[in-house]
Amino acid sequence: MGASCDWSRERFTMDEGLSEAVRKVFVQLYEEGLIYRGSYIINWCPRCHTALADLEVEHEELDGNLYHIRYPFPDGSGGIVVATTRPETMLGDTAVAVNPDDERYQNIGTDQVLLPLVNKFIPIIKDKYVDAAFGTGALKVTPAHDPNDFEIAERHNLPSVKVIGNDGKMTSEAGEFEGLDRFECRKAVVAALKKEGFLEKIDPYRHSVGHCYRCKTIVEPNLSRQWFVKVKPLAEKAIVAVKNGKTRIIPEMWNNTYFDWMNNIKDWCISRQIWWGHQIPAWTCTACQTVTAAMETPEKCPHCGENELVQETDVLDTWFSSALWPFSTMGWPDDTKLLNLFYPTSVLVTGFDILFFWVARMMMMGIHFMGNVPFRDVYVHALVRDEEGKKMSKSKGNVIDPLNIIEKYGTDAFRFTLAAFAAQGRDIKMSEKRVEGYRHFVNKLWNAARFSLMHLDEGYAKIASDNLSLPDRWILSRLKRLTDNVSETLDSYRFNDTAAALYKFVWHEFCDWYLEAVKPILYGKKGEESRKATQSVLWHVLRNTIILLHPFMPFVTEEIWHKMPGTEGSIMVAAFPSDDFCDPKIVLDPKAESEMELIMEIITGFRNIRGEMNIAPSLALAASVQSQDEKTRATIQQNSDLITTLAGLKAFSVEQPGERPKAVATAVINGATIFASLEGIIDFTKETERLDREIKKLTSEISGVLKKLNNDDFLNKAPEEVVLKVREKYESLVEKQQKLELNLEKIKEIEA
RNA sequence: GGGCGGGUAGCUCAGUUGGGAGAGCAUCGGCCUUACAAGCCGAGGGUCACAGGUUCAAGCCCUGUUCCGCCUACCA
């Protein structure tokens, strides 16, 4: 929002400087023992031919089967039944595990079973990991193709047999099944087991299956040699930084997600077997097998002195270099001015789906290498979903192309819609109807500006101090409130509140009331002095309004800015209206607000009567207002022209309460009763119905208020100002009701 | 399995120290009023998912139930 990007600083992680940062980080972490290489079970994508970090695996629930396979005892009898969703992996089994407390397997007289098809003996081991309540309580152990089995195998020193190769095809260890694709092999193994009588049964079974986040291929847990970052020590500091508020996550609800992931973090597999990326700066000496990590290619092996060094061919996970972004982009590892000026950065804006991939890792690396957090605030924005609330994805085909929306409704309308939708902590269900609504708003602003500019032929350095009309003083006060509101809601990332405030001000205050109210003045009907005064107000209000709107509607506001007299340069660099820049006349003016409120209520009262009595707007009415209060009468009198114009009256008088005029429709507002003369056109039945409706409404409101006032507990325990407020409300409601009832009686008299 | 968010007007959603239920769109009635018919004026419409509890007072706080969505997890 409102950011002005310096595109000359655009960077790419493969740039020279950033590559140096990557090397530096790798070497340092390696020397600190936080990067290591080893043979572990990792997620492998057989299509991309590369290792994947845990994060890069997407799990999805799929319908599968649970195959129950009997592993006979050495003498060929009975045996132990195991259950698996992946029967092809049995070829790589090196044990069967049971829970040590499981009585079923206490005295079975053997510690081995025969692995069918492979025809070799494998041990029965006891491990607490096994859940005795699941299936038969016996678990087949395939260390090379299952992460849990791998851990069990480590505990029991079991060998690993890799039966599925990196290409997803069966290896020579799979014997007769060699060369088969892993899924073809599943069918073949099942058929063979069935034929030889080892398949007990097949149950349908729904379970979650990991897929490669790039190509959606089913991931194969695979044993291979990879590079890892020991993240635990890094994560601990990143947790503390959020706990003690050095970095704030907004909205706060994401804290839990962040902590949860950080607390359960596992080592990060950073090596990738793809052709692009930062090549790992590590060399293996073919003579002594020692590994050396270095910034520059070593001349010879620092251990044995031979120059038979071979660089690691693997490259680094792209997120490894991305994690350095907040400081690598500003010249690190050099100590630059940029770093000193801008690190830590003020705010990172991002989607929740990137919280782990990127934010968490930037936190860890920033704290470790810069000694400080990379950003003060992390604003997690909403995700735009489709109309049914589903996450957009190319494979689902439910992607809404922003360019299409922009083509149809315009950039400003689209942008404003997104802001208006961006309530904290909630995702956005994209609705074209909403965009259309805000396009109308853009249009409204444009027309309002067009009208304003018709009446502005110069810039006004200052707002006139004399001759201001009530609407002038009112709109200035409203502008002040708006300005404060916009500043506050932007500071607290409540963009939807900002959008709503701007919308309401522009449409329902500036356009609906102010512009209509000052038209006579602008047309010169109140003299040149008044016209000048109002023009100065109009100029400032329009100017400040479009500046406030600019971050939300950059194009229209820029266009208006250039058409406006007395502006310079681009609105992009105009000072944002705040206390410092405001004209001293732009202040809160509660008196003007309450006076204008009174006038608006009177006008609405007349319009209401007109609407409900079906009186054509072209028919001007004679009308009057009665009020007990002298000040009220004075205010109304001073603004009688305004009322006459906006309510469509031909005659208007202000009086003390007295005789009720004949043949009138009535409405009661705070402190005053208004009468619209309907001589000759009044429909008494209609008017009676109208008043009845109003009285009924008041009756129910009064009963609600009365409930409180009759409650001693409320009177005693509620704060004084609340009680006072309720009392005042009660009094004004009763007054209104009494006046309406009086009028109703009069009508009934006339009718009779 | 764990965690998070949600259920408010016909639809999409606001509602931040608990004290007057709101907006946009849609609906109904009336208007070409000299910026705007992409508009103007007016109207109708809600036991705030359900059941309890705290409180003088609950859409908002607590407990439970239910439905929906998302994230996360090593139950074969």
Side-chain angles (χ1 to χ4, degrees):
Chain A
M1 271 300 165
S4 303
C5 300
D6 180 354
W7 297 111
S8 72
R9 298 194 194 285
E10 197 181 24
R11 301 304 297 270
F12 176 46
T13 49
M14 299 287 279
D15 287 350
E16 190 68 33
L18 280 74
S19 298
E20 195 193 336
V22 167
R23 283 197 165 204
K24 166 104 177 162
V25 165
F26 185 93
V27 172
Q28 190 178 322
L29 288 177
Y30 182 77
E31 283 167 359
E32 290 169 347
L34 292 174
I35 281 183
Y36 62 93
R37 186 175 70 161
S39 272
Y40 294 93
I41 193 133
I42 45 88
N43 304 292
W44 181 265
C45 176
R47 198 211 65 94
C48 302
H49 263 251
T50 183
L52 298 170
D54 295 341
L55 257 188
E56 292 168 312
V57 178
E58 287 176 355
H59 292 274
E60 196 189 340
E61 289 256 305
L62 291 179
D63 287 317
N65 294 308
L66 199 54
Y67 300 86
H68 296 255
I69 309 168
R70 183 170 60 87
Y71 289 7
F73 291 130
D75 60 6
S77 71
I80 293 180
V81 175
V82 297
T84 180
T85 54
R86 306 189 56 207
E88 70 280 10
T89 62
M90 65 150 312
L91 301 169
D93 283 1
T94 55
V96 167
V98 297
N99 191 292
D101 301 327
D102 194 334
E103 289 178 4
R104 287 170 295 182
Y105 303 105
Q106 292 297 357
N107 301 301
I108 49 176
T110 174
D111 57 359
Q112 288 191 105
V113 287
L114 182 71
L115 185 60
L117 307 184
V118 184
N119 284 319
K120 74 177 183 192
F121 294 109
I122 54 173
I124 301 167
I125 58 164
K126 296 189 172 177
D127 195 289
K128 289 259 189 203
Y129 169 77
V130 182
D131 179 3
F134 188 90
T136 59
L139 171 71
K140 62 188 272 309
V141 181
T142 322
H145 297 288
D146 183 285
N148 298 311
D149 294 4
F150 178 79
E151 282 176 25
I152 293 171
E154 288 220 305
R155 288 197 285 272
H156 297 270
N157 285 320
L158 297 172
S160 292
V161 178
K162 190 163 162 174
V163 290
I164 302 170
N166 290 349
D167 54 0
K169 291 191 172 130
M170 306 310 288
T171 67
S172 60
E173 295 281 2
E176 58 178 300
F177 300 99
E178 180 181 1
L180 277 181
D181 174 80
R182 52 192 171 142
F183 297 110
E184 289 301 316
C185 180
R186 178 175 301 174
K187 290 180 200 159
V189 165
V190 169
L193 287 170
K194 205 177 210 169
K195 193 174 149 205
E196 297 189 27
F198 295 112
L199 190 66
E200 293 287 306
K201 61 170 176 174
I202 303 175
D203 291 333
Y205 191 69
R206 197 168 168 77
H207 61 126
S208 99
V209 179
H211 296 73
C212 170
Y213 84 126
R214 285 190 197 282
C215 73
K216 312 297 172 200
T217 300
I218 292 179
V219 160
E220 187 61 45
N222 215 341
L223 190 61
S224 70
R225 194 157 75 163
Q226 303 289 342
W227 293 83
F228 298 86
V229 176
K230 201 186 282 180
V231 276
K232 207 91 198 164
L234 302 173
E236 276 163 14
K237 287 182 187 164
I239 291 168
V240 171
V242 172
K243 277 229 164 96
N244 67 19
K246 282 206 90 162
T247 291
R248 294 192 309 157
I249 301 179
I250 299 147
E252 271 181 30
M253 67 178 196
W254 292 108
N255 281 0
N256 279 340
T257 309
Y258 174 85
F259 291 140
D260 191 56
W261 190 71
M262 285 295 211
N263 283 323
N264 299 311
I265 202 161
K266 289 203 271 179
D267 285 358
W268 175 18
C269 175
I270 50 170
S271 44
R272 297 288 179 275
Q273 292 69 43
I274 48 181
W275 62 268
W276 56 276
H278 295 280
Q279 193 175 352
I280 291 177
W283 289 261
T284 306
C285 173
T286 49
C288 71
Q289 298 301 315
T290 322
V291 175
T292 305
M295 291 289 288
E296 304 296 336
T297 309
E299 297 271 322
K300 54 188 178 183
C301 177
H303 297 272
C304 67
E306 298 290 326
N307 66 344
E308 294 182 32
L309 295 168
V310 179
Q311 187 174 1
E312 177 64 68
T313 53
D314 287 358
V315 297
L316 289 164
D317 181 5
T318 49
W319 293 108
F320 187 89
S321 50
S322 304
L324 318 180
W325 192 256
F327 48 96
S328 66
T329 47
M330 295 197 280
W332 191 89
D334 295 336
D335 182 29
T336 64
K337 267 190 193 163
L338 268 184
L339 276 174
N340 287 316
L341 194 58
F342 291 118
Y343 194 97
T345 63
S346 54
V347 56
L348 176 83
V349 180
T350 189
F352 78 89
D353 49 347
I354 223 91
L355 204 57
F356 306 139
F357 275 115
W358 200 19
V359 180
R361 286 161 178 172
M362 285 192 279
M363 288 289 286
M364 294 192 279
M365 293 299 195
I367 293 167
H368 192 73
F369 287 94
M370 295 297 296
N372 201 346
V373 294
F375 14 73
R376 299 282 178 226
D377 287 356
V378 175
Y379 175 69
V380 179
H381 67 239
L383 209 67
V384 179
R385 298 174 182 277
D386 73 1
E387 235 148 335
E388 280 153 21
K390 299 229 165 65
K391 200 168 161 177
M392 292 186 200
S393 79
K394 280 183 193 159
S395 52
K396 269 190 213 144
N398 63 344
V399 176
I400 300 169
D401 185 345
L403 293 178
N404 287 341
I405 303 280
I406 286 169
E407 180 110 3
K408 247 171 119 177
Y409 302 102
T411 314
D412 286 343
F414 185 47
R415 188 183 176 94
F416 194 89
T417 307
L418 291 177
F421 263 127
Q424 269 186 27
R426 293 193 62 152
D427 281 340
I428 295 171
K429 272 195 263 179
M430 199 57 214
S431 148
E432 285 203 28
K433 271 278 166 216
R434 259 323 254 278
V435 187
E436 195 181 349
Y438 288 119
R439 181 180 63 169
H440 295 171
F441 178 55
V442 178
N443 195 244
K444 185 74 179 177
L445 175 72
W446 175 251
N447 280 312
R450 213 158 51 90
F451 172 77
S452 302
L453 294 175
M454 279 166 48
H455 297 278
L456 296 172
D457 35 31
E458 56 174 306
Y460 292 79
K462 273 200 211 148
I463 294 170
S465 39
D466 299 318
N467 295 306
L468 291 182
S469 67
L470 175 61
D472 285 328
R473 288 186 291 125
W474 172 76
I475 199 70
L476 289 173
S477 182
R478 300 305 299 166
L479 177 65
K480 171 64 177 156
R481 277 190 204 283
L482 174 74
T483 308
D484 292 347
N485 189 336
V486 167
S487 301
E488 192 206 320
T489 52
L490 284 183
D491 282 346
S492 48
Y493 303 96
R494 282 148 50 208
F495 302 114
N496 61 318
D497 288 336
T498 322
L502 286 164
Y503 185 99
K504 192 176 174 213
F505 176 83
V506 170
W507 201 312
H508 298 301
E509 293 182 345
F510 183 64
C511 291
D512 285 354
W513 286 103
Y514 180 71
L515 289 183
E516 294 303 328
V518 298
K519 268 179 185 175
I521 303 176
L522 292 173
Y523 283 116
K525 295 188 177 159
K526 300 278 174 172
E528 197 50 27
E529 295 290 300
S530 295
R531 197 169 85 97
K532 282 270 177 242
T534 292
Q535 280 174 321
S536 72
V537 172
L538 177 58
W539 188 86
H540 276 87
V541 173
L542 179 65
R543 176 181 170 277
N544 285 14
T545 302
I546 59 174
I547 296 174
L548 292 172
L549 266 169
H550 179 255
F552 295 80
M553 303 187 148
F555 293 98
V556 182
T557 49
E558 181 82 58
E559 187 69 17
I560 295 169
W561 180 262
H562 286 291
K563 288 200 159 38
M564 213 176 151
T567 58
E568 278 177 14
S570 167
I571 193 172
M572 285 190 281
V573 290
F576 206 66
S578 68
D579 291 344
D580 296 343
F581 302 112
C582 272
D583 185 293
K585 298 294 282 186
I586 304 177
V587 287
L588 289 185
D589 186 344
K591 187 159 168 278
E593 288 193 32
S594 70
E595 285 180 7
M596 186 67 186
E597 196 117 332
L598 172 69
I599 304 300
M600 292 193 295
E601 271 184 50
I602 291 170
I603 292 165
T604 303
F606 284 124
R607 286 172 173 175
N608 188 310
I609 290 171
R610 212 184 260 287
E612 294 192 14
M613 303 294 280
N614 278 335
I615 297 161
S618 49
L619 185 68
L621 301 173
S624 61
V625 174
Q626 293 184 353
S627 175
Q628 196 115 39
D629 183 59
E630 197 186 325
K631 269 192 193 159
T632 304
R633 284 200 307 275
T635 304
I636 298 170
Q637 189 64 60
Q638 280 156 21
N639 293 282
S640 56
D641 282 3
L642 194 53
I643 296 169
T644 305
T645 311
L646 294 184
L649 307 178
K650 61 181 176 191
F652 180 62
S653 60
V654 187
E655 299 151 9
Q656 289 194 342
E659 199 55 24
R660 182 182 184 278
K662 296 256 156 34
V664 291
T666 320
V668 177
I669 58 147
N670 275 342
T673 308
I674 67 175
F675 302 99
S677 167
L678 300 177
E679 193 96 45
I681 52 169
I682 190 159
D683 180 334
F684 286 106
T685 321
K686 250 189 191 170
E687 176 66 359
T688 309
E689 282 169 7
R690 247 194 79 234
L691 294 177
D692 263 333
R693 257 203 320 271
E694 289 298 316
I695 291 168
K696 249 193 192 152
K697 256 197 241 170
L698 287 168
T699 308
S700 80
E701 270 194 79
I702 288 170
S703 81
V705 174
L706 214 50
K707 229 187 193 164
K708 290 186 178 179
L709 292 177
N710 287 336
N711 183 344
D712 284 341
D713 282 329
F714 172 72
L715 299 176
N716 295 330
K717 294 180 181 172
E720 216 169 312
E721 70 261 27
V722 173
V723 176
L724 194 69
K725 226 170 147 184
V726 173
R727 270 194 215 285
E728 280 171 359
K729 171 142 195 186
Y730 172 76
E731 279 158 25
S732 95
L733 286 174
V734 168
E735 190 197 328
K736 265 190 198 176
Q737 195 190 34
Q738 284 171 346
K739 284 181 180 164
L740 286 174
E741 268 166 354
L742 207 71
N743 280 289
L744 189 59
E745 276 168 36
K746 288 272 164 69
I747 286 177
K748 283 180 177 160
E749 274 172 34
I750 296 166
E751 238 179 327

